[in-house]
């Protein structure tokens, strides 16, 4: 039975989650009440959950590299397509693959950090955290945690720099992590990588 | 209509004599993404190729019925929607080729068992339920273990949907905290760990309230 056309009964809902709802769930654009229903179904239905995980992975991953086999697959499977479409593609003046990269990847999915750099050692009394601005983001939140994830400092800012000269009390030599979290204008959450750093002995 | 569905718009509006060219343009733009989906669903190259061809056939079938069902209402981009459709078609392809085999069913049973074991170990750790996993238990102990699993299942069912999903992703699908954080748009893996820790306490209290400590080894 094809799930695409026929809906199959499931315990928590009458049918599997629709394509539209899965796609909206991936982009975090479902209304709260609908999202709860979809989450309830996903918790119950391994098949839909796997679909959600796999599709999210494809959407969130960088555009696939052109491996040897992927280079010839489209040519063999759709040779007529490529040949006939050539004038159109040339007319577009841009690589279709590049267009696709843009369409498959959100505009900003991460925040790029500046300092402290990974594995760096900083002076305990004057730690400055800096990151690159993300278009459409008005407010950032800086988080500093210890090595087991316990929050030791957080602060909101509209800037892309926070100096913590008198607010942060870190143990010399102990490993810490920092990252920045923000909400984009479309309501999705983006975050920076977790950057490790430590404090020099006085 | 979202900007990334330009080729779709051309395709759906194309008159019959232009349909072939519009389809070719559509495939030219989206083939790489569709191949990526097929490759994710099937690790074998030949299978991935067959799945890719199947996806193209199904997208084009019945006067583009599937593509016409996309609603540009702003809930998702066309490319995201297309990924989900292609992933679902890959599942259809797998079922068409292999059917719902016993292997799939036994795999599900195994995953279910794995989930219960992991969650049981996780939630039962502090209420001394480790003895339930002891080798060769007696009939009475087996019944008790079964009761505990049922109590645990009921406790999980009583959680909020988002928390149930988090539990399933971690303990049934065995995804990493980093992966779950990405999937659920949580800021970091630490948020996942903290949420799991809180849920563990909730489940533990729920189990204790159901008298689970009665089966603790003496």
């Amino acid at each position: 039975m094809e799930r695409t056309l026929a809906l199959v009964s499931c315990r928590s809902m009458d049918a599997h989650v629709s394509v539209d709802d899965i796609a909206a769930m991936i982009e975090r654009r479902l209304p709260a009440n609908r999202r709860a229903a979809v989450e309830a179904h996903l918790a119950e239905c391994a098949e839909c959950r796997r679909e959600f995980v796999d599709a999210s992975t494809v959407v969130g991953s960088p555009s696939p590299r052109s491996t040897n086999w992927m280079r010839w697959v489209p040519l063999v499977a759709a040779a007529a397509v490529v040949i006939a479409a050539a004038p159109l593609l040339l007319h577009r003046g841009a690589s279709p693959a590049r267009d696709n990269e843009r369409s498959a990847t959100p505009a900003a999915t991460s925040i790029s950090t500046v300092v402290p750099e990974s594995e760096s050692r900083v002076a305990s009394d004057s730690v400055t955290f800096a990151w690159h601005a993300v278009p459409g983001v008005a407010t950032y939140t800086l988080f500093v945690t210890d090595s087991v994830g316990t929050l030791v400092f957080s602060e909101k800012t509209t800037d892309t720099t926070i100096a913590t000269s008198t607010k942060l009390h870190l143990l010399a030599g102990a490993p810490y992590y920092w990252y920045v979290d923000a909400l984009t204008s479309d309501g999705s959450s983006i975050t920076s990588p977790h950057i490790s750093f430590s404090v020099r002995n006085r | 209509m979202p900007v990334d569905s330009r080729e779709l718009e051309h395709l759906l509006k194309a008159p019959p004599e232009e349909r072939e060219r519009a389809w070719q343009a559509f495939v030219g733009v989206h083939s790489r993404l569709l191949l990526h989906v097929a490759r994710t669903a099937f690790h074998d190259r030949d299978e991935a190729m067959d799945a890719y061809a199947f996806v193209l056939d199904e997208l084009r079938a019945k006067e583009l019925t599937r593509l016409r069902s996309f609603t540009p209402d702003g809930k998702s981009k066309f490319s995201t929607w297309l990924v989900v459709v292609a992933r679902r078609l890959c599942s259809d392809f797998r079922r068409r080729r292999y059917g719902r085999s016993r292997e799939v069913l036994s795999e599900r049973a195994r995953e279910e068992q794995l989930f219960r074991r992991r969650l049981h170990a996780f939630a039962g750790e502090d209420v001394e339920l480790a003895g339930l996993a002891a080798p060769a238990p007696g009939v009475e102990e087996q019944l008790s273990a079964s009761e505990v699993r049922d109590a645990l299942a009921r406790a999980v069912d009583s959680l909020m949907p988002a928390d149930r999903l988090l539990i399933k992703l971690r303990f049934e699908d065995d995804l990493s905290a980093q992966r779950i954080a990405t999937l659920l748009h949580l800021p970091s893996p630490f948020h996942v760990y903290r949420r799991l820790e809180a849920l563990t306490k909730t489940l533990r209290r729920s189990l204790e309230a159901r008298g689970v400590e009665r089966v603790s080894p003496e």
Side-chain angles (χ1 to χ4, degrees):
Chain A
M1 177 180 285
E2 293 186 22
R3 282 182 65 215
T4 314
L5 294 178
L7 299 176
V8 183
S9 292
C10 204
R11 196 162 66 120
S12 64
M13 295 171 73
D14 292 330
H16 284 295
V17 177
S18 71
V19 169
D20 290 357
D21 280 346
I22 293 263
M25 178 83 179
I26 290 171
E27 295 192 7
R28 205 65 176 177
R29 290 182 181 178
L30 275 179
N33 57 342
R34 185 64 197 147
R35 189 171 72 236
V38 171
E39 287 171 342
H41 181 93
L42 292 178
E44 197 66 50
C45 177
E47 192 170 356
C48 284
R49 201 164 61 246
R50 187 167 293 174
E51 184 175 273
F52 166 63
V53 170
D54 285 354
S56 296
T57 302
V58 171
V59 171
S61 66
S63 189
R65 293 173 186 168
S66 295
T67 58
N68 286 336
W69 79 275
M70 286 181 78
R71 268 196 285 274
W72 61 262
V73 163
L75 296 175
V76 173
V81 170
V82 175
I83 294 168
L88 277 176
L89 301 181
L90 288 172
H91 177 69
R92 287 169 50 81
S95 157
R98 282 188 177 279
D99 275 3
N100 197 43
E101 282 171 20
R102 280 198 298 272
S103 64
T105 307
T109 57
S110 180
I111 300 173
S112 175
T113 58
V114 180
V115 289
E117 293 179 344
S118 181
E119 306 288 333
S120 63
R121 294 169 71 82
V122 301
S124 62
D125 53 354
S126 62
V127 186
T128 297
F129 298 90
W131 55 94
H132 291 294
V134 176
V137 170
T139 306
Y140 302 89
T141 306
L142 167 71
F143 295 94
V144 180
T145 73
D146 64 15
S147 59
V148 296
T150 304
L151 188 67
V152 296
F153 178 81
S154 74
E155 185 168 306
K156 283 190 176 181
T157 179
T158 56
D159 200 354
T160 56
T161 301
I162 287 181
T164 60
S165 55
T166 59
K167 308 169 197 167
L168 199 52
H169 302 286
L170 302 177
L171 297 174
Y176 291 95
Y177 292 84
W178 74 278
Y179 62 94
V180 180
D181 185 28
L183 279 179
T184 61
S185 52
D186 68 358
S188 60
S189 174
I190 58 172
T191 189
S192 72
H194 289 63
I195 307 297
S196 63
F197 71 102
S198 59
V199 173
R200 282 195 295 267
N201 290 317
R202 290 171 189 267
Chain B
M1 185 170 283
V3 70
D4 71 340
S5 64
R6 184 174 46 198
E7 288 74 20
L8 175 67
E9 195 173 10
H10 287 161
L11 176 61
L12 298 184
K13 289 180 178 174
E17 64 276 15
E18 293 290 328
R19 184 74 55 79
E20 180 62 28
R21 177 173 290 195
W23 169 252
Q24 289 160 358
F26 176 85
V27 173
V29 168
H30 294 290
S31 64
R32 199 170 179 181
L33 186 65
L34 296 174
L35 271 167
H36 190 27
V37 176
R39 184 90 163 112
T40 303
F42 296 91
H43 298 299
D44 179 86
R45 290 179 183 180
D46 292 338
E47 278 191 322
M49 254 192 76
D50 291 346
Y52 167 70
F54 177 81
V55 169
L56 288 184
D57 285 347
E58 291 297 312
L59 288 178
R60 195 175 188 183
K62 298 175 185 170
E63 296 290 315
L64 309 166
T65 298
R66 284 191 177 84
L67 292 175
R68 290 185 193 283
S69 68
F70 173 66
T71 308
D73 56 5
K75 281 171 66 180
S76 70
K77 291 186 293 186
F78 174 67
S79 57
T80 302
W81 182 89
L82 184 62
V83 165
V84 180
V85 170
R87 174 61 182 76
R88 190 162 285 193
L89 285 170
C90 284
S91 295
D92 289 345
F93 172 75
R94 187 188 303 276
R95 267 191 290 276
R96 186 170 288 192
R97 176 168 281 192
Y98 300 108
R100 288 182 181 271
S101 64
R102 288 180 181 177
E103 286 74 15
V104 171
L105 294 175
S106 67
E107 175 70 12
R108 285 184 183 164
R110 191 192 66 78
E111 287 176 355
E112 179 71 14
Q113 189 179 33
L114 195 62
F115 164 66
R116 290 179 184 280
R117 199 185 314 135
R118 283 181 187 140
L119 189 55
H120 182 265
F122 191 64
E125 190 177 37
D126 286 353
V127 286
E128 298 180 339
L129 298 176
L132 292 172
V139 173
E140 189 176 341
E141 284 171 311
Q142 286 186 42
L143 287 173
S144 297
S146 172
E147 287 170 359
V148 171
R149 290 192 193 95
D150 288 344
L152 186 56
R154 284 196 295 275
V156 171
D157 283 346
S158 69
L159 296 173
M160 296 291 286
D163 292 335
R164 288 208 303 275
L165 177 57
L166 179 63
I167 292 273
K168 289 298 184 84
L169 289 171
R170 181 71 188 96
F171 294 106
E172 187 167 318
D173 302 339
D174 202 21
L175 299 185
S176 68
Q178 176 69 63
R179 186 96 182 274
I180 294 171
T182 304
L183 284 170
L184 301 183
H185 299 259
L186 295 171
S188 78
F190 297 136
H191 290 72
V192 175
Y193 286 128
R194 283 191 206 117
R195 192 70 206 133
L196 285 173
E197 191 180 339
L199 290 173
T200 302
K201 289 175 181 170
T202 303
L203 290 176
R204 216 172 274 158
R205 281 196 300 272
S206 180
L207 287 173
E208 288 168 349
R210 293 168 195 269
V212 165
E213 60 273 4
R214 284 187 294 110
V215 297
S216 299
E218 297 296 325

